[in-house]
Structures are given as structure tokens and as C-alpha cells.
Amino acid sequence: MTDINTKSTDSPTENDEETTSPVSLSGKHEHILTLMELFYFAYRDFTGDGDEVLAKIGYGRAHHRVIHFVHHYPGLRVAELLSILKITKQSLARVLKQLVDEDYITQKPGQQDRRERLLYTTQKGQELATQLAKPQINRFEHSINQLSKKEQETVEKFLFSLIQQGNRHDVINLMAQNGHEPYSDISKKHSSKSALKKK
Amino acid sequence: MTDINTKSTDSPTENDEETTSPVSLSGKHEHILTLMELFYFAYRDFTGDGDEVLAKIGYGRAHHRVIHFVHHYPGLRVAELLSILKITKQSLARVLKQLVDEDYITQKPGQQDRRERLLYTTQKGQELATQLAKPQINRFEHSINQLSKKEQETVEKFLFSLIQQGNRHDVINLMAQNGHEPYSDISKKHSSKSALKKK
DNA sequence: CAAAATATGTCAACATGACTGACATAAATA
DNA sequence: TATTTATGTCAGTCATGTTGACATATTTTG
């Protein structure tokens, strides 16, 4: 009941047998749903940022993600990348192979464990990574600059807390590689048995 | 310079011809990059929430998105859905057809404009929508509950500001259908020529 | 040291969900 | 009446995800 669509007259007058009562049954969580949608819209536009550049070289968003993480975490192992992206080996192999073949990424055996193939961006890869990152960084910079330091921390805390419990250690460990301090509550104990970290 | 990977000994000693200097050349925007990654990880886990339920009925995330928006905005027009999802008609048609055929969604001609096919969830569709929403709502609720009212507004403002300029009106107009007030700065003027709103 | 475990790569086959571009219909509008 | 609009549909293609099996090199373990 109660009509919603200010837009097109809605309120199915006839043949409303099985349609729902227009207004959000979700009423109770209306505010949360709205926030979820803002999150969705933000991500939708965020991921679109690199598309033009990618299209020019025949790459997709999967390539973008790979090159981003390899660029930001040089020496990343394949297993770590898989854990970050949460896709299958085969899925990664396809895009990674292209990136390696086309000289955006190189692989080097680890020194301690020579089974590992540590990933690095080449000069060419760095240039691409930088180009792809530009619009996304701008987007985030504009948004974050409208916030106070304290507010920025709030956002950071919020985003971190949205991450699946079991994945937070991995994220912390990953980011620690670039000198980042842990996040609030989580980093109290644990820190070993991560799916990301080495052995 | 400066070594990064605490993990596996990195620092490519030999054959480091074209690999990059390990540490983030991105140094300047290190903090922004980290925030972007948190955003990515949060979204990654958020979207995974419905997977089990979806798998049981042979649906994918595309179905989830469609049923979510139709459920939350009963009477949605196809054109609005296309504008929300930013995919092509054919892409939408495929999943929408399945949802209609399998009685999760029904279509009714608009009263004013009978060319329109207003979308509504059926009883069955509502149940599915509710089930799919549950884990995501829980995720957001937990996170948002850790914040003060003021902090919640900060997060909302931040997410909204991440949305592409040209798309913000559409989002506002869409959400207004469920009685939501505009967001901060943006809603000063404009409000007509939206890609979403009716004629 | 031999056996088991690990890190990675690869192959074949397949599913989902995007895309393009063309064309059709019904209904609203100029 | 002619045009535009909202929607649907067809054919074909591509990007990216999946499974499961198997191969190789290397490290770790009993």
C-alpha cells in the first residue's frame, strides 16, 4: 500500500494479483539498503574509471586488477594474488599470461623458495598502472579531501569493517608490506596463519 | 630502493634488468591507494554474500542485482534499470527474462504510458530478494552500528561523493522514490533532465 | 634419502554475463 | 500522419569466471 513511484502513476489498479504492495517491505532497513546502494553505485563508477585506457590496448578490468596489485605490491606471489582476487588459478593464468607475454609484468623465482614466481611490473607495466590509477586516485582524492582527518579515519574504519572477518588478517598482512599499520580492533592478536603471508 | 616484501626475501638481486624498484612509486598517494583497496576488498566480500543462495537456484550476481532493485523500487521501468546497472538492453533482457519466466518478477503496462513495462517482484520474488538481502544487510548493519550518527552521515556523504558527477542526480531521483532526501551539496538545483526519471 | 607436500603452470571444456548492431512492435507525441 | 520513444528480440562475439585433472620443480618431512 501507500504509493511509491511518484514517477509513472504506478499503483497497479488492475490485475494486481501477485504483485507486491509497492512500498518497501524492507521498510525496517530502508536506511541500510540506501547505503548499500550508494556503495554499489560508487563501486560501479569507480571500476569504470579505467575502461577507456583498457579498451585501447584490448584489456579488461581483470587485467586492471592484476596490474594494480602487482604494481602496488612488487614481488607479489601468485598465491597471494589468487587470495586477493578470489578467483581461480585458471582465471588468473589467462590474464597474467597476457600481461607477461606483452611485457607488462615479469616473473622471477624467489631466492629462498625457488618454486615461487615473484611478480613485478616492467617499466611498461608501471606506466600502464600509473595511467590506470590516475582517474581512480582523483576520484578518491576529491572525496577524501572533503573530509576532516577524523572523518577520513571513520571511512577507513568503516570500509575495513565491511570486509569479511576471515579475510581481514590477509588484508592487514598484505598492506603491512607497504608499511601500513593495522586497523583498529582487529589487529589485537592473530597475525600468523594468514592465507596470504608466506609460509 | 628500500625493500618492501618482508615476506619472501624479494629484492631481486640477480637479473633485475627491467623490474621496478620495489617500493611503491605511488608513494605520494599511498594512503589513497590503501583506501581504494579497502573499498575493493569490501565490495568483493559484499558481493559474495548472496552466492550460496544464488547457486542453489542457478542464478548469478546479475540476477541478484536485478531482483534487488526491482524489489526495492517496485514499478521500476526497464529503462531505469538499464540506467542503474549500466549494462546493455540485451544483457539485461537475458536475466530479466529468466526472472519473469520463473515467476520472480512480473511486468505490467504503465497506466499513463502503456508502452512501459513496470517491474514488480512476485511473492516468490520477494522471498528471494529478502533472503539475498539478509547477509548483506547484516554486514552493513554491523559496520554502521559501530559508528555514531554523525559518523554514519560521513560515510554516506563519502560514498555519495564517489559517484560520478553526472550520475548523482539519477541516484537522488531514484532514491527519492523511496522517500529519501537528497544528499548534501548536490541537490541544490537540477533535478529534471535525469536519465532515470520519467519523461 | 625417499616420500609427501607445496607453488606454479597448463589443458580441455564449459557457464555467465557483458557487448554490438540490426530490426520489430506498440504507443505516445509532434 | 510521421516521428519518436519504450521495449523486446535475434545473431554473434568476447571477457572472465568455473571445474578437474595432470605436470614440473622444489621444499619439507618421516
Side-chain angles (χ1 to χ4, degrees), chain A residues 4-16 18-20 22 24-26 29-46 49 65 68-69 71-77 80 83-86 103 106 108 111-112 116 118 120-123 126 136-137 139-141 143-144 146-147 151-152 154-164 167 171 174-175 177-178 180 183 197-198, chain B residues 4-16 18-20 22 24-26 29-46 49 65 68-69 71-76 80 83-86 103 106 108 111-112 116 118 120-123 126 136-137 139-141 143-144 146-147 151-152 154-164 167 171 174-175 177-178 180 183 197-198:
Chain A
I4 325 98
N5 306 321
T6 351
K7 53 180 182 57
S8 68
T9 182
D10 50 57
S11 311
T13 44
E14 46 187 349
N15 111 305
D16 41 1
E18 56 177 353
T19 63
T20 123
S24 42
L25 310 178
S26 12
H29 298 109
E30 189 52 40
H31 185 250
I32 296 280
L33 290 176
T34 295
L35 198 69
M36 279 167 45
E37 287 166 11
L38 287 178
F39 186 62
Y40 164 77
F41 290 127
Y43 190 81
R44 180 199 64 182
D45 293 352
F46 169 68
D49 273 344
R65 288 191 286 270
H68 165 87
F69 283 107
H71 181 237
H72 199 204
Y73 300 97
L76 203 62
R77 287 172 303 124
E80 289 174 309
S83 166
I84 286 171
L85 302 174
K86 299 255 189 272
D103 196 39
T106 53
K108 303 193 189 183
Q111 291 198 309
Q112 331 264 277
E116 298 175 345
L118 307 185
Y120 298 88
T121 45
T122 61
Q123 175 64 36
Q126 286 172 53
Q136 296 191 320
I137 288 176
R139 179 181 299 277
F140 266 74
E141 235 173 14
S143 291
I144 210 72
Q146 295 179 330
L147 308 180
E151 289 176 320
Q152 295 179 18
T154 295
V155 166
E156 194 163 316
K157 181 173 79 173
F158 176 75
L159 289 179
F160 181 75
S161 77
L162 279 180
I163 297 170
Q164 189 72 31
N167 294 335
V171 171
L174 174 71
M175 293 181 170
Q177 295 181 28
N178 271 333
H180 275 269
Y183 289 88
K197 251 330 196 174
K198 257 193 77 88
Chain B
I4 326 99
N5 307 320
T6 349
K7 53 178 184 56
S8 70
T9 181
D10 50 57
S11 313
T13 43
E14 48 188 348
N15 110 302
D16 41 1
E18 57 177 350
T19 61
T20 124
S24 42
L25 311 178
S26 14
H29 297 110
E30 189 53 39
H31 185 252
I32 295 281
L33 290 176
T34 295
L35 198 68
M36 281 167 43
E37 286 166 11
L38 288 178
F39 187 62
Y40 163 76
F41 290 127
Y43 190 81
R44 180 199 63 182
D45 292 352
F46 168 68
D49 274 342
R65 288 192 286 270
H68 165 87
F69 283 106
H71 182 237
H72 198 205
Y73 300 96
L76 203 62
E80 289 176 309
S83 166
I84 287 170
L85 302 173
K86 298 254 190 271
D103 196 38
T106 53
K108 303 194 189 184
Q111 289 198 308
Q112 332 265 280
E116 297 175 346
L118 308 184
Y120 298 89
T121 46
T122 62
Q123 176 63 37
Q126 287 171 53
Q136 296 191 320
I137 288 175
R139 180 181 298 278
F140 266 74
E141 236 174 13
S143 292
I144 210 71
Q146 293 179 331
L147 307 180
E151 288 176 319
Q152 296 180 17
T154 295
V155 166
E156 195 164 315
K157 179 173 79 172
F158 175 75
L159 289 179
F160 181 75
S161 76
L162 278 180
I163 297 171
Q164 190 72 31
N167 294 334
V171 170
L174 174 73
M175 293 181 170
Q177 295 180 28
N178 271 332
H180 275 269
Y183 288 88
K197 246 336 192 171
K198 257 193 78 86

Side-chain angles (χ1 to χ4, degrees), chain A residues 172-192:
Chain A
I172 288 176
N173 287 332
L174 174 71
M175 293 181 170
Q177 295 181 28
N178 271 333
H180 275 269
E181 270 313 302
Y183 289 88
S184 51
D185 41 352
I186 192 69
S187 57
K188 354 181 183 189
K189 287 179 188 285
H190 336 268
S191 78
S192 31

Side-chain angles (χ1 to χ4, degrees), chain A residues 28-116:
Chain A
K28 188 174 154 205
H29 298 109
E30 189 52 40
H31 185 250
I32 296 280
L33 290 176
T34 295
L35 198 69
M36 279 167 45
E37 287 166 11
L38 287 178
F39 186 62
Y40 164 77
F41 290 127
Y43 190 81
R44 180 199 64 182
D45 293 352
F46 169 68
T47 49
D49 273 344
D51 287 354
E52 296 140 59
V53 175
L54 290 168
K56 274 184 210 151
I57 52 179
Y59 282 174
R61 291 173 180 180
H63 301 84
H64 187 167
R65 288 191 286 270
V66 168
I67 207 158
H68 165 87
F69 283 107
V70 172
H71 181 237
H72 199 204
Y73 300 97
L76 203 62
R77 287 172 303 124
V78 170
E80 289 174 309
L81 201 40
L82 286 175
S83 166
I84 286 171
L85 302 174
K86 299 255 189 272
I87 58 177
T88 57
K89 213 193 328 182
Q90 177 65 321
S91 256
L92 173 59
R94 205 164 21 219
V95 293
L96 186 53
K97 189 174 189 313
Q98 290 179 69
L99 288 165
V100 169
D101 286 353
E102 294 166 38
D103 196 39
Y104 289 97
I105 287 179
T106 53
Q107 299 171 296
K108 303 193 189 183
Q111 291 198 309
Q112 331 264 277
D113 187 336
R114 292 185 331 245
R115 288 172 304 181
E116 298 175 345

